[in-house]
Amino acid sequence: MLKYKTSLLLLLVSVLILNVLQFFVPISFWVYLIVISSYLVLAAYGSFRIESNFYFPVICSAKTEKKEISISFDDGPSPEITSKVLDILKTNEINATFFVIGKNIEGNEDILERIHKEGHIIGNHTYSHSYFFDLYAPKKMGLEFSKTNEIIEKITNTETRYFRPPYGVTNPLLRSALMKFKFIVIGWSVRSLDGIKNNTSKIIKRVTSNLKPGDIVLFHDNYPEIETVLNEFITFTKNNGFKIVSLNNLLK
């Protein structure tokens, strides 16, 4: 698939060629519309399909023949739910990755500290996770990254390596903002949709039906029924020979 810089260059070259041809033959308005619309469709696809790597590199899975996978949790920490998730992970000796929202850490510093002390990876998921985050100017996005990094690092005394975009949406603004940071951007290959669906059986089926080696699974640790989903998912992996490993180990 074409990437952002290449497709933008092709658009500019195409428009330039059409402008030159205008001196020799009439060029219909519809030709311009088709060229520009084609670019916009491609750009929109790249924005909403994080695995396309359209705007910048995103790791959504690992290439491995081992039956190893990694699990991640977005949007925490949640005072009511994250601790229960941590209990399950501790009982099963599983390390996960938590992509935390900066504002949710405030007042829940003890939970973040526990996440860190129990060996889990902590990633940046912006400070606000605003519905309008994708429309922010790059400078404002950068301030959100920095503020969340500072909160995490103050509590854990460790550098934040990983970042996951809110809603998995990417665009040129985010591309520009990320250039000033050394994040490894993480997507997913299995999405539970537990933030949207309320039917636990459907969520469990969604995350288990096509599970394969190298998958990165996305859950939310603010989903009220995550205990049920997580316990059944872990049971499924054990019964089917999968091993849940940390993101660092999966990406080795």
Side-chain angles (χ1 to χ4, degrees), residues 56 100-102 105 123-129 133-134 136-153 160 162-166 169 171 173-183 185:
F56 45 79
V100 296
I101 298 173
I105 300 172
N124 190 318
H125 201 39
T126 75
Y127 179 80
S128 68
H129 201 285
F133 179 82
D134 308 310
Y136 285 179
K139 183 177 180 180
K140 188 172 182 179
M141 289 182 176
L143 291 174
E144 291 229 358
F145 302 156
S146 296
K147 189 171 183 178
T148 302
N149 276 354
E150 289 170 7
I151 295 171
I152 295 171
E153 290 166 17
T160 308
Y162 297 115
F163 169 75
R164 176 174 282 163
V169 176
N171 61 29
L173 299 173
L174 182 57
R175 171 191 168 90
S176 178
L178 287 171
M179 286 182 177
K180 296 183 179 180
F181 294 82
K182 297 180 180 180
F183 287 131
V185 184

Side-chain angles (χ1 to χ4, degrees), residues 48 153 208 236 239:
F48 292 101
E153 290 166 17
T208 58
F236 173 87
N239 291 341

Side-chain angles (χ1 to χ4, degrees), residues 1 40-52 54-55 134 166-172:
M1 177 181 171
L40 292 176
V41 168
L42 183 62
Y45 178 85
S47 290
F48 292 101
R49 301 293 295 188
I50 192 170
E51 72 277 9
S52 70
F54 183 72
Y55 292 101
D134 308 310
Y167 317 108
V169 176
T170 61
N171 61 29

